[in-house]
Amino acid sequence: MNARVYETLSIRVGALALSFVLFGGFVALAGADPLDVYYQMYRGSIGTWFSFQNALLRAAPLMLTALCTAIPARLGLTIIGGEGALVLGGLAAAGTGLALTGLPGSVVVVAMATIGFAAGALWVGAAGALRAYRGVNETISSLLLSYIAIALMTYLVEGPMRDPTSLNHPTTRAIPPDAMLGNIPGFDVHWGLAFGIVACVLAHILMMRSVFGFGGAIVGGNLRAALLCGLPVRRMMVIACALAGGAAGLAGMAEVAAIHGRASDSLVAGYGYTGILVSFMAQHEPLAIVPVAVLFGGIGASNGLIQRADHLPDATVNVLQGILFVVILASETLYGRFSLFRPASKKDEPLSSAAPPAPPGPPVPPVENLPEAAA
Amino acid sequence: MSPAVASGLGLWGVPLAVAAGAIRVSTPFLYVSLGECITEKSGRVNLGLEGTLVMGAMSAYGISYLTGSPWLGVLVAGAAGMVLGALHGWLCGLPRVNDVAIGIALILFGTGLAFFLGKPFIQPVARQLPAIDLGFWSSSPEVRSALRVNALFVLGLVLAPGVAFFLDRTRWGLILRTVGESADAARAMGYSVLRVRLLATMAGGFFAGVGGSFLSLFYPGSYNERLSSGQGLMAVALVIFARWSPVRCLWASLLFGAASALGPALQSIGMTSGYQLINAVPYVLTLAIMIATSSASRSLPGQPAELGAAR
Amino acid sequence: MVKTRRTPHRERSTSILILALMGMASLFSSSCKKDSQPESSATTASAPGAAAPAPASSTLTVGFVYVGAKDDYGYNQAHAEGAKAVAAMPGVKVREEENVPETVAVQKTMESMINLDGATLLFPTSFGYFDPHILTEAQKFPAVTFLHCGGLYDETKHPKNVGSYFGYIDEAEYVSGIVAGLTTKTNKLGFVAAKPIPQVLRNINAFTLGARSVNPKVTTSVVFTGDWSMPVKEAEAANSLIDQGVDVLTSHVDSPKVVVEQAERRGIFSTGYHASQAALAPKGYLTGAEWNWAKVYTGYIDAIRANKPYPHLLRGGFKEGFVKMSAYGPAVSDEAKKKADEAKAGLTAGTLVIFQGPLKDNAGKEVIAPGVSMVQTDVNLEKMAYLVDGVKGKLP
């Protein structure tokens, strides 16, 4: 097993290093000094305590929205509607906070988290239900629902739920101050970060270590086998999507309760979209989401510094993220290719881990009366 | 300038605007969905077309500005799309690499690269693609303007059945579809699955790049960083909506374009309440139709069998 | 295609690796709090929350934060032009960051400019930055000055190191309206607007009032796109307005480029906003309402450097030179120029008041009583929630 761990580590590190080298080449072509860019990135992401907290702060919502893609992925579903769930979760949380003004702060916070979670869960759960019971492709339906959610939120915030004194930037009324989430003691980062980490740990336990998660893996791997086992496939799909949407909704609640204090179109900040990236980069493993989110947060945090110090445009960071993403995904292909990492054995043994799995046995007749697991 | 006669069509303006919008707004969707149709028929998903669209828009605008020839811009946009498609195809051809993830990565990379390179092109004005006045028979300037189409749209109208013909009735199309239905069968026939998919993805990228050029060189005919608001992604969704049929992609794009034009059209005759919700009509419509036409008991007809396996 | 399989080992080892790297780095960085930065001329604060050190040298570092791209031919560009004027001032260094969303990101951007660039004066230029972001940061850094565009500063509520400024661009819109009203042949004007907020409504109303003051038959049709920058929707809005017979178009969106270009393509007139789009419409561009932020910014900086108190709620129109008109285009008649110049003079002198009673909204209700005259500084104008008579369209 040692060889495998080394293999993983070196390929990962190698991929990271290669990405940064390619990025350095890119900025050099653009006329900037790559070494200075590296330095600014370091400085802007983990180089000072302030920067590191900035990275953590940006990572907080990403952890939750990444779960929105990661949890259903275990069941073979591709959900990309985290943005809409976040927005509705935030709006619902703000509404709850306003409705419960007067109750003790901690009660309101719990209520907001619950309702925010529920709103997101309902929305993405709907996409899951459409998939399970109606066969509607969940990728499209979650995307469409996301757009619809944003339109709905904008309509409500600019109309019925609008704070009349929020003149030039329509928002809802502010939630009571004692219902706001404070910072984690000793940090300049709000409790949403803790939500994110705890959620990822819980998701890991649920999806990787529990019976539900194991069943989910079977659904994702081989739908027919899952049905033969008697697993309640439809229900599991809906539950997984509901949990996913709930996580994103919780991210929205944290945005409202910790940062803005009210719901507005500032909630539409691309966290949902970036969460998809984080999830894919972490290969949908919840524990890996935490450091990947911090990595993305760090890159985002150093963005400003690169712009200001090296006079590079804002899009530079997107290029870096793209290169990083592509190289790391492509590096998947290197596993098992290097003899260095294979346990000392006959050299001319065929590559074991890079070969595609053995072709399936006798062809299974097409499943007639079930939703396809694939898109 | 409009004649002094009180023009303006009143209520009739709405269906006209919707029809005009269907023509104007649908073209990028049409091209991207046709391209993705080809790619998916070969058994691969290319979500990265959103990035390709933006890259196409930027490169077309830039080339048109630098050389003064919009058609050259269109060609270069297609070429840029082909390069991104080749990148996607090559990466996905490596073992153990996930198509969907690479697609998303390329959205990011393509968009970022386009914005990065396109900074100097936001300000200047580039030469636009010429229009064809199909409404010359009308005395009404509004009808004339609505029927002022672009050659790319007309080309798209021809391409949709053309792609369908290619897929259904030519040898190459058959090979493509075989690769998409059963890679094993294709291999047994001696065709390189990876090569076919690579070419299909490149073709898809070319289409998407051309679709992007329409945005910046005809309608809205301007380049800035907010040009695409998820159109590439929506177009990929439209392929599934259209059940992988090129001609249905055409109808789907027209429908979507028409629905998108409804909001502004209603507002221009004074109905401004609830405009945010009206602007969501295209999405609601698409979702409703998807729900109505999907079935839990049968897999989507027309779906290439290899598509699902490529997860 | 081979299905990618997650292997727990792989992911855990990656997680451990990255966490370890992060942990080591942060330990390393927090143990050496001082950050020596060779290029930046100011020292950096050691911990967040500490007041930024007063620069020993006389170099003033000023930070600008934009919500969009600096060269958008519109809102952000107008600010960037002001920033350029500031950078040209002796002893002033400018740091800019663009595309910063109205989320916690802007708080961190500002902190970064303060901590790592040594900025002591910040201009966060988007409206949504004010509450809570600027207010939060202002409390954290009492020695740094935050000057916000468009906010409504209230000295009873807001910290002392915050100020807000804005220009009475509706004065310029009024003059644009006059030119539009005298140039239109169909008596139909079109307005492509982003959102129905008071600043936008004020512009729509001023434009209409200006046009009607010289041509009472004129009407303005409004289309709201829903967001500040949506090129396809703006083009659709422009075209559907033109289909309804509009022959002068104007807009209040972040980048009027699309609307002006559509107007030119369909052979109608247009007036601009934020900055001059005359280059985009050589035939049809009439005039435009532009900002002159350079005046505002240089004024602030002079006051701050001389340690004089600066106005916390700064507003100004033609008189103060905060707004200006684009040069008249070729299609503007002499009569229109005369009337427009007259109005401009009146506004500059303060003798012409745009919003005065009796004024009805487009539903027939009276919104300004007869005899009441709302001068530009009247705070009621900042809460405007109606469309005047002559504007077609209900407020959503």
Side-chain angles (χ1 to χ4, degrees):
Chain A
M1 275 305 127
N2 249 348
R4 251 180 115 190
V5 171
Y6 283 139
E7 181 187 35
T8 309
L9 283 180
S10 20
I11 291 185
R12 284 284 191 238
V13 171
L16 276 171
L18 180 64
S19 316
F20 281 105
V21 166
L22 285 174
F23 180 60
F26 177 76
V27 300
L29 283 175
D33 173 16
L35 293 177
D36 188 64
V37 172
Y38 292 147
Y39 177 67
Q40 297 300 339
M41 288 190 63
Y42 163 74
R43 214 171 139 232
S45 56
I46 52 180
T48 67
W49 183 232
F50 155 76
S51 307
F52 185 53
Q53 295 196 94
N54 190 354
L56 288 178
L57 189 61
R58 285 167 183 265
L62 296 182
M63 293 180 197
L64 288 167
T65 54
L67 284 178
C68 188
T69 302
I71 295 179
R74 183 104 166 132
L75 275 74
L77 303 170
T78 308
I79 295 279
I80 55 177
E83 191 84 359
L86 184 151
V87 156
L88 284 182
L91 185 66
T96 311
L98 291 171
L100 297 180
T101 310
L103 295 182
S106 41
V107 171
V108 182
V109 169
V110 170
M112 287 199 302
T114 315
I115 302 284
F117 186 92
L122 220 79
W123 206 247
V124 182
L130 284 174
R131 172 74 166 85
Y133 294 98
R134 193 77 190 147
V136 179
N137 181 293
E138 75 283 359
T139 311
I140 308 184
S141 63
S142 63
L143 181 67
L144 292 172
L145 283 173
S146 184
Y147 285 130
I148 296 174
I150 294 174
L152 199 62
M153 187 275 295
T154 320
Y155 168 71
L156 288 172
V157 164
E158 292 184 9
M161 287 182 74
R162 179 180 179 153
D163 176 0
T165 67
S166 67
L167 297 166
N168 277 307
H169 182 220
T171 67
T172 62
R173 292 186 175 79
I175 61 176
D178 58 347
M180 299 272 295
L181 283 178
N183 285 341
I184 302 175
F187 281 74
D188 199 19
V189 184
H190 59 80
W191 279 101
L193 179 68
F195 287 2
I197 298 180
V198 168
C200 283
V201 171
L202 288 176
H204 172 83
I205 296 175
L206 180 69
M207 302 311 288
M208 305 294 168
R209 301 248 177 255
S210 75
V211 175
F212 176 81
F214 186 60
I218 301 180
V219 171
N222 188 333
L223 182 64
R224 199 174 160 76
L227 289 160
L228 287 172
C229 293
L231 287 173
V233 169
R234 293 191 162 98
R235 205 167 52 193
M236 292 174 75
M237 283 182 174
V238 177
I239 293 177
C241 288
L243 290 174
L250 206 58
M253 174 260 173
E255 279 297 296
V256 166
I259 311 281
H260 299 279
R262 43 179 97 220
S264 70
D265 63 0
S266 301
L267 284 175
V268 187
Y271 291 134
Y273 182 63
T274 314
I276 303 172
L277 299 173
V278 171
S279 181
F280 270 96
M281 187 96 106
Q283 301 206 300
H284 310 304
E285 156 62 68
L287 283 186
I289 285 179
V290 174
V292 174
V294 176
L295 178 68
F296 268 77
I299 295 178
S302 61
N303 179 11
L305 213 51
I306 299 182
Q307 269 192 58
R308 303 199 305 270
D310 296 299
H311 303 289
L312 287 171
D314 163 68
T316 314
V317 150
N318 292 9
V319 175
L320 170 63
Q321 285 173 338
I323 294 178
L324 206 68
F325 207 171
V326 169
V327 171
I328 290 188
L329 286 173
S331 72
E332 285 292 304
T333 196
L334 293 174
Y335 287 95
R337 296 269 193 104
F338 297 115
S339 50
L340 198 59
F341 296 113
R342 263 178 275 148
S345 56
K346 314 120 205 163
K347 273 197 217 141
D348 34 0
E349 204 162 30
L351 296 172
S352 47
S353 38
V364 179
V367 179
E368 281 304 314
N369 52 351
L370 296 150
E372 287 287 287
Chain B
M1 307 297 152
S2 304
V5 172
S7 48
L9 307 166
L11 220 51
W12 278 113
V14 177
L16 185 69
V18 167
I23 297 174
R24 279 191 293 253
V25 178
S26 65
T27 310
F29 289 105
L30 176 60
Y31 275 86
V32 178
S33 58
L34 280 180
E36 180 66 7
C37 199
I38 297 176
T39 310
E40 292 199 7
K41 278 283 194 192
S42 79
R44 178 169 293 157
V45 179
N46 183 0
L47 283 179
L49 289 183
E50 168 77 16
T52 312
L53 182 82
V54 179
M55 193 70 198
M58 187 282 294
S59 47
Y61 198 78
I63 293 291
S64 174
Y65 171 65
L66 292 173
T67 66
S69 161
W71 288 109
L72 190 61
V74 174
L75 234 67
V76 171
M82 246 168 50
V83 170
L84 283 176
L87 185 62
H88 184 277
W90 172 66
L91 286 170
C92 291
L94 301 172
R96 333 176 73 94
V97 174
N98 182 323
D99 302 10
V100 178
I102 289 282
I104 297 184
L106 282 179
I107 297 180
L108 199 54
F109 181 68
T111 316
L113 192 65
F115 287 172
F116 189 90
L117 296 173
K119 275 288 176 189
F121 299 129
I122 298 182
Q123 290 254 317
V125 181
R127 260 195 78 196
Q128 301 284 300
L129 286 172
I132 304 176
D133 269 308
L134 286 187
F136 53 84
W137 45 270
S138 165
S139 58
S140 153
E142 290 78 20
V143 174
R144 267 210 294 273
S145 157
L147 293 177
R148 226 177 130 252
V149 302
N150 174 258
L152 282 180
F153 175 72
V154 178
L155 188 62
L157 285 180
V158 171
L159 270 178
V163 170
F165 181 83
F166 166 77
L167 287 174
D168 292 337
R169 299 213 190 280
T170 67
R171 189 161 161 268
W172 291 109
L174 182 60
I175 297 173
L176 191 96
R177 280 186 298 127
T178 312
V179 168
E181 292 294 335
S182 165
D184 289 335
R187 267 185 223 113
M189 284 163 62
Y191 296 115
S192 160
V193 168
L194 283 184
R195 247 247 312 262
V196 172
R197 285 187 178 152
L198 177 69
L199 291 171
T201 315
M202 284 170 69
F206 181 84
F207 276 74
V210 170
S213 72
F214 180 86
L215 280 176
S216 61
L217 289 182
F218 192 72
Y219 194 82
S222 174
Y223 173 72
N224 66 30
E225 294 183 359
R226 297 294 303 262
L227 198 58
S228 171
S229 44
Q231 280 132 321
L233 216 48
M234 262 319 296
V236 174
L238 285 177
V239 174
I240 303 182
F241 176 74
R243 303 282 190 268
W244 294 275
S245 150
V247 176
R248 275 201 291 263
C249 281
L250 173 64
W251 297 123
S253 308
L254 286 172
L255 178 71
F256 201 80
S260 306
L262 191 64
L266 286 176
Q267 283 198 59
S268 67
I269 57 168
M271 298 168 63
T272 40
S273 0
Y275 69 92
Q276 300 98 329
L277 297 179
I278 299 186
N279 284 346
V281 161
Y283 306 113
V284 174
L285 194 63
T286 313
L287 188 63
I289 297 183
M290 280 229 61
I291 296 177
T293 59
S294 293
S295 158
S297 50
R298 285 179 293 118
S299 64
L300 295 171
Q303 176 181 345
E306 289 285 333
L307 205 55
R311 284 282 180 132
Chain C
M1 207 36 6
V2 175
K3 178 175 170 142
T4 307
R5 248 176 263 116
R6 288 158 273 99
T7 54
H9 271 294
R10 195 175 295 165
E11 295 322 313
R12 247 179 299 166
S13 20
T14 315
S15 326
I16 294 171
L17 173 72
I18 300 188
L19 275 173
L21 281 174
M22 295 274 165
M24 284 194 302
S26 57
L27 271 176
F28 176 70
S29 63
S30 51
S31 63
C32 21
K33 298 268 185 167
K34 210 54 154 338
D35 191 53
S36 55
Q37 167 55 278
E39 308 110 60
S40 168
S41 55
T43 55
T44 46
S46 55
S57 63
S58 60
T59 309
L60 178 66
T61 305
V62 184
F64 285 88
V65 187
Y66 309 111
V67 73
K70 274 193 299 198
D71 36 15
D72 62 353
Y73 250 118
Y75 182 80
N76 296 295
Q77 182 171 315
H79 285 290
E81 285 172 1
K84 248 198 298 222
V86 168
M89 295 173 83
V92 175
K93 196 154 70 143
V94 164
R95 285 278 188 245
E96 298 168 291
E97 196 170 321
E98 50 177 10
N99 281 318
V100 182
E102 295 172 350
T103 66
V104 74
V106 67
Q107 291 184 22
K108 290 302 168 183
T109 293
M110 294 194 281
E111 286 185 16
S112 179
M113 285 181 170
I114 297 171
N115 284 331
L116 300 171
D117 288 333
T120 52
L121 172 60
L122 290 181
F123 286 100
T125 58
S126 179
F127 191 84
Y129 291 159
F130 192 61
D131 183 359
H133 308 299
I134 292 183
L135 297 175
T136 313
E137 295 302 303
Q139 279 163 348
K140 263 186 173 167
F141 297 98
V144 175
T145 312
F146 297 83
L147 295 172
H148 176 250
C149 178
L152 204 51
Y153 180 78
D154 184 343
E155 62 178 5
T156 61
K157 285 197 281 189
H158 299 139
K160 287 219 165 314
N161 54 338
V162 171
S164 65
Y165 61 90
F166 205 56
Y168 294 129
I169 200 155
D170 53 322
E171 291 181 5
E173 287 279 27
Y174 186 84
V175 176
S176 286
I178 290 179
V179 177
L182 287 172
T183 316
T184 175
K185 308 265 183 312
T186 65
N187 290 335
K188 288 187 177 176
L189 310 178
F191 203 111
V192 179
K195 289 186 194 248
I197 60 175
Q199 277 167 5
V200 176
L201 297 177
R202 200 164 157 177
N203 281 339
I204 300 175
N205 291 336
F207 185 75
T208 309
L209 288 171
R212 291 193 126 199
S213 73
V214 292
N215 182 351
K217 293 191 294 221
V218 148
T219 61
T220 309
S221 300
V222 177
V223 174
F224 293 105
T225 60
D227 206 350
W228 295 102
S229 183
M230 306 190 81
V232 180
K233 273 268 175 312
E234 289 160 20
E236 269 313 298
N239 278 296
S240 54
L241 283 169
I242 298 174
D243 286 342
Q244 290 296 329
V246 159
D247 69 347
V248 183
L249 261 186
T250 187
S251 61
H252 184 154
V253 292
D254 270 1
S255 177
K257 186 173 178 214
V258 172
V259 171
V260 172
E261 284 180 339
Q262 290 298 314
E264 185 75 350
R265 255 175 244 160
R266 287 195 64 177
I268 68 162
F269 303 112
S270 55
T271 70
Y273 190 61
H274 290 312
S276 173
Q277 291 92 25
L280 301 171
K283 289 209 289 264
Y285 194 77
L286 298 176
T287 180
E290 294 185 40
W291 304 106
N292 189 12
W293 295 129
K295 186 102 196 321
V296 177
Y297 293 158
T298 50
Y300 267 128
I301 290 180
D302 286 335
I304 289 177
R305 298 190 91 167
N307 263 322
K308 282 207 294 254
Y310 56 86
H312 286 265
L313 184 62
L314 184 63
R315 297 283 189 267
F318 280 125
K319 184 160 79 174
E320 296 82 355
F322 287 3
V323 297
K324 56 185 180 181
M325 302 298 300
S326 308
Y328 294 120
V332 182
S333 67
D334 289 329
E335 190 209 347
K337 283 188 198 161
K338 189 160 91 72
K339 282 264 171 358
D341 288 337
E342 267 170 25
K344 195 165 143 200
L347 288 165
T348 311
T351 53
L352 174 56
V353 176
I354 302 176
F355 293 103
Q356 51 184 325
L359 188 62
K360 283 206 168 71
D361 72 7
N362 63 353
K365 207 171 65 144
E366 189 181 78
V367 286
I368 303 185
V372 172
S373 186
M374 291 192 179
V375 288
Q376 292 294 68
T377 47
D378 193 329
V379 80
N380 282 316
L381 291 178
E382 309 247 357
K383 302 190 199 146
M384 189 173 295
Y386 53 83
L387 288 169
V388 296
D389 190 28
V391 178
K392 289 171 82 175
K394 260 192 346 232
L395 275 182

